[in-house]
Amino acid sequence: EVQLVESGGDLVQPGRSLRLSCTASGFTLGDYAMTWFRQAPGKGLEWVGFIRSKAFGGTTEYAASVKGRFTISRDDSKSIAYLQMNSLRTEETAVYYCTRVPYADYGYDAFDIWGQGTMVTVSS
Amino acid sequence: DIVMTQSPDSLAVSLGERATINCKSSQSVLYSSNKKNYLAWYQQKPGQPPKLLIYWASTRESGVPDRFSGSGSGTDFTLTISSLQAEDVAVYYCQQYDSTPFTFGPGTKVHIK
C-alpha cells in the first residue's frame, strides 16, 4: 500500500526545536519531490516548504514565514523526509502534513498521497 | 505568490441537489506548452488529511465518484457535485501547483440543508 506516515509531533515550548519525520512505503521516495503543509486548528492549509528529488538537485524552498528557521531534508535510502523546526512560535501550533509531489512533463503533478498528519503544539 | 480565492465560504445544499464551488487564482495557472491548468480540488473531512478529487482542473482522481466534476481554465474554476450525498459533507479546497508557494484557497464548507 502506498502511504506516508508522519511522526515526531509533540508539545514544545516556544523557542525550542522539533524534528518531524515522514516515512514512505509502497513507492520509491527518491522519485518524488516532497512537501510539507500545516493546518492550525480550525484554519486552512498553509504550505511550509518543499524539497526536490536528487535527480533535480535536491534543493529546497520555504515559505517566507519559516525561512531561516525550518529545514527540510531527505534520506532516500531510508525512505524518510524530515522537517527540522527551530525557534518555534506559539502561532505554529498545527497539524503538519507531508505529501509527495509527482513530477509531470512540465513542472509538477497534484499531490495524491498525504500522511495522516502529526500534531505540533507550541506552548509554555 | 499566486493567491487563491473561493466562493462561497459556506454552502447548504439539499440531498440530491447540485453544489457549485468557485475558485479564482490571482494569475493564470494555464501552462501554454502543454495546455494544462495546474489546479486541483481537495476534500477534507474533520480529523482527516485532504483527499485529492480533481487534478489538471478537470481530471477525476481514480476512485472518486463521477458526481464530482471540475471545469474552468486560466484563472476561473468550478467544482460541481451533481447530486449531493450525505458523505460529501466536508470542506473543499482548490489549490494551484503551478509554482511555489503551492497555495490553497480558504476553503468552502458544504453541509446539508
Side-chain angles (χ1 to χ4, degrees):
Chain A
E1 181 189 4
V2 174
Q3 64 176 354
L4 294 167
V5 177
E6 300 94 339
S7 59
D10 204 350
L11 170 62
V12 61
Q13 292 180 326
R16 303 300 291 264
S17 299
L18 199 63
R19 188 178 80 162
L20 305 183
S21 299
C22 171
T23 303
S25 59
F27 69 98
T28 302
L29 185 74
D31 290 342
Y32 294 82
M34 295 295 293
T35 193
W36 288 87
F37 289 92
R38 63 188 178 187
Q39 187 169 36
K43 302 296 185 183
L45 292 148
E46 179 189 14
W47 178 72
V48 173
F50 167 79
I51 185 166
R52 294 176 178 82
S53 67
K54 291 284 192 326
F56 288 89
T59 52
T60 53
E61 295 184 32
Y62 300 96
S65 59
V66 308
K67 197 169 185 179
R69 298 186 297 119
F70 287 17
T71 302
I72 297 173
S73 60
R74 61 192 301 154
D75 186 339
D76 293 339
S77 67
K78 294 182 178 178
S79 293
I80 303 177
Y82 299 99
L83 175 62
Q84 175 69 43
M85 304 183 292
N86 298 331
S87 302
L88 281 161
R89 305 167 178 169
T90 55
E91 60 266 30
E92 294 178 315
T93 292
V95 175
Y96 284 71
Y97 295 103
C98 65
T99 178
R100 73 176 187 181
V101 184
Y103 285 94
D105 291 342
Y106 296 96
Y108 308 104
D109 207 331
F111 311 151
D112 58 342
I113 304 297
W114 292 66
Q116 283 298 309
T118 188
M119 184 70 203
V120 173
T121 302
V122 185
S123 175
S124 54
Chain B
D1 298 2
I2 299 177
V3 177
M4 308 299 292
T5 56
Q6 288 181 232
S7 63
D9 296 333
S10 180
L11 186 59
V13 177
S14 300
L15 288 173
E17 294 300 305
R18 179 184 299 263
T20 302
I21 301 169
N22 299 301
C23 172
K24 193 174 185 70
S25 56
S26 62
Q27 61 193 73
S28 177
V29 297
L30 173 63
Y31 192 61
S32 56
S33 297
N34 60 6
K35 303 289 192 291
K36 287 184 173 180
N37 288 281
Y38 286 61
L39 187 284
W41 289 95
Y42 297 84
Q43 175 193 66
Q44 188 178 33
K45 297 181 179 179
Q48 296 184 18
K51 174 189 174 183
L52 179 63
L53 296 177
I54 303 284
Y55 57 99
W56 303 132
S58 61
T59 303
R60 203 178 300 114
E61 174 73 336
S62 175
V64 172
D66 61 7
R67 63 181 180 273
F68 291 92
S69 64
S71 63
S73 185
T75 61
D76 292 279
F77 302 91
T78 300
L79 174 70
T80 301
I81 309 172
S82 60
S83 175
L84 192 77
Q85 305 300 303
E87 61 265 32
D88 300 334
V89 169
V91 178
Y92 292 84
Y93 296 94
C94 62
Q95 183 230 356
Q96 65 82 18
Y97 49 101
D98 174 79
S99 59
T100 57
F102 299 124
T103 43
F104 282 83
T108 295
K109 191 169 187 177
V110 174
H111 51 100
I112 306 296
K113 185 186 290 183

